[in-house]
Amino acid sequence: MFLGMGRPAWKEARATLQKILSADEPVLRDNEALRNKCLVPMSDIEMVLPINVGGYTDFFCSVHHARNCGFIFRGPQTPVNPNWFHLPIGYNGRASSVVVSGTDVIRPRGQGHPTGNSGPYFGPSQKLDFELEMAAIVGPGNELGKPIDINNAEDHIFGLALMNDWSARDIQAWETIPLGPFLGKSFSTTISPWIVTLDALKPFTCEAPKQEPEPLPYLAEKNHANYDIPLEVWIKPKDQSDASIVSKTNFKHLYWTLTQQLAHHTINGCNMRPGDIFATGTLSGPEPESLGCLLELTWNGQKEIPVGNSTRKFLEDGDEVILTGCCKGEGYNIGFGTCTGKVLPSLP
């Protein structure tokens, strides 16, 4: 399996493809028949999941998202739990419901908080939300019982893809104590078919946020770095011809880095396998327009945001959510494509 071959094989494959596609290389440039076989219009193909997802872990690594969620649900006294600054918080997601971009999302049903003296609500989620995330794709991985060293962790990450970890906030809020999210998250997770390798992202490496207190030794890395990846979220309502931007943020705000996430995931001996994915959690920034989900943008439905000629507190049936990401180099771009999904009505 290509992912399991490791960084030397990935670098060789990338260099070979770059050479073949170069304007100075005649192998494709001067062979029209071969070029027609190798280069296929996107309109003629169906994009599928880029990997067989064996395991999926969702982290919670944006301090801005963590702080905002704490304010919303717990108030200003302790918006971020003390343990959050000592370890990357995460939970095991549902790999079977990870779907490729373009797959429709059926509004989930489940229980919600009781109102007054009544019992719990049951029915279609009234607070369906997107979450702007990025998914890291695991390469070689590790044997059971043998953790990945923080300073070697980069060699076990093939690349990054856009991810929308759809969330039913009302279902999640009712079920999440004491064991965390379940039905409010497991109904669908959308990823882009395009994976950008960490080698391709090297020119966009930037300093990661300073961590206080200093992490424990197994999380203290020699190269504490993130990537400068501008990200956007667009919503296209079913009755509008154009999509409207609702969020602009950047991967560089991530508090716990990808390598810290992977090192923490395996420190207890947990084995990671080629094609496993782990996600960053919602990528919110410090500015009001840089919040990565409607929960934050509308402060849990307390206000509305404009979407074209309409407004939203949470997603409505027929809404299409479009995530984009693109690094801007000098004279070139490194694009992540799009990650899209349309909300369909709940099943009867």
Side-chain angles (χ1 to χ4, degrees), residues 28-231:
L28 279 185
R29 185 194 64 194
D30 299 342
N31 189 331
E32 184 178 0
L34 182 60
R35 194 165 63 246
N36 290 337
K37 286 183 179 181
C38 295
L39 303 178
V40 182
M42 285 185 60
S43 58
D44 294 345
I45 60 174
E46 176 188 356
M47 302 303 294
V48 297
L49 279 173
I51 49 174
N52 292 318
V53 183
Y56 162 44
T57 303
D58 192 24
F59 280 98
F60 184 54
C61 290
S62 162
V63 68
H64 305 290
H65 178 62
R67 185 174 289 119
N68 289 333
C69 289
F71 269 107
I72 291 170
F73 292 113
R74 291 189 300 275
Q77 291 76 22
T78 312
V80 182
N81 287 326
N83 65 338
W84 194 93
F85 292 100
H86 292 276
L87 69 151
I89 301 293
Y91 71 95
N92 283 307
R94 184 69 185 171
S96 65
S97 54
V98 176
V99 298
V100 72
S101 173
T103 304
D104 292 333
V105 176
I106 298 172
R107 183 178 295 272
R109 295 190 299 168
Q111 293 188 32
H113 268 291
T115 56
N117 295 321
S118 65
Y121 163 83
F122 176 78
S125 171
Q126 303 299 304
K127 291 185 174 183
L128 185 59
D129 199 357
F130 64 81
E131 283 192 344
L132 171 58
E133 304 194 20
M134 298 200 82
I137 288 60
V138 174
N142 59 305
E143 296 180 22
L144 184 67
K146 298 182 178 180
I148 295 174
D149 184 270
I150 181 70
N151 293 308
N152 298 327
E154 186 179 38
D155 289 335
H156 294 269
I157 303 173
F158 176 65
L160 283 172
L162 294 170
M163 170 181 280
N164 183 350
D165 194 28
W166 305 84
S167 300
R169 300 299 185 186
D170 42 359
I171 297 173
Q172 182 180 356
W174 174 234
E175 72 182 2
T176 199
I177 296 174
L179 293 181
F182 185 36
L183 300 185
K185 302 285 290 183
S186 62
F187 59 94
S188 191
T189 299
T190 304
I191 66 169
S192 168
W194 303 103
I195 303 172
V196 178
T197 66
L198 294 195
D199 288 320
L201 292 174
K202 281 293 184 186
F204 306 98
T205 302
C206 61
E207 187 175 351
K210 181 176 175 59
Q211 296 180 328
E212 295 181 353
E214 291 186 2
L216 293 175
Y218 79 94
L219 292 173
E221 50 192 345
K222 295 177 182 177
N223 182 29
H224 184 56
N226 273 343
Y227 300 98
D228 183 2
I229 308 173
L231 301 164

Side-chain angles (χ1 to χ4, degrees), residues 10 112 141 160 163 194 238 277 324 338:
W10 307 339
L160 283 172
M163 170 181 280
W194 303 103
K238 65 178 180 180
I277 62 175
T324 67
T338 59

Side-chain angles (χ1 to χ4, degrees), residues 322-338:
I322 305 159
L323 312 184
T324 67
C326 187
C327 300
K328 305 288 187 179
E330 292 187 10
Y332 69 97
N333 294 334
I334 298 291
F336 287 82
T338 59

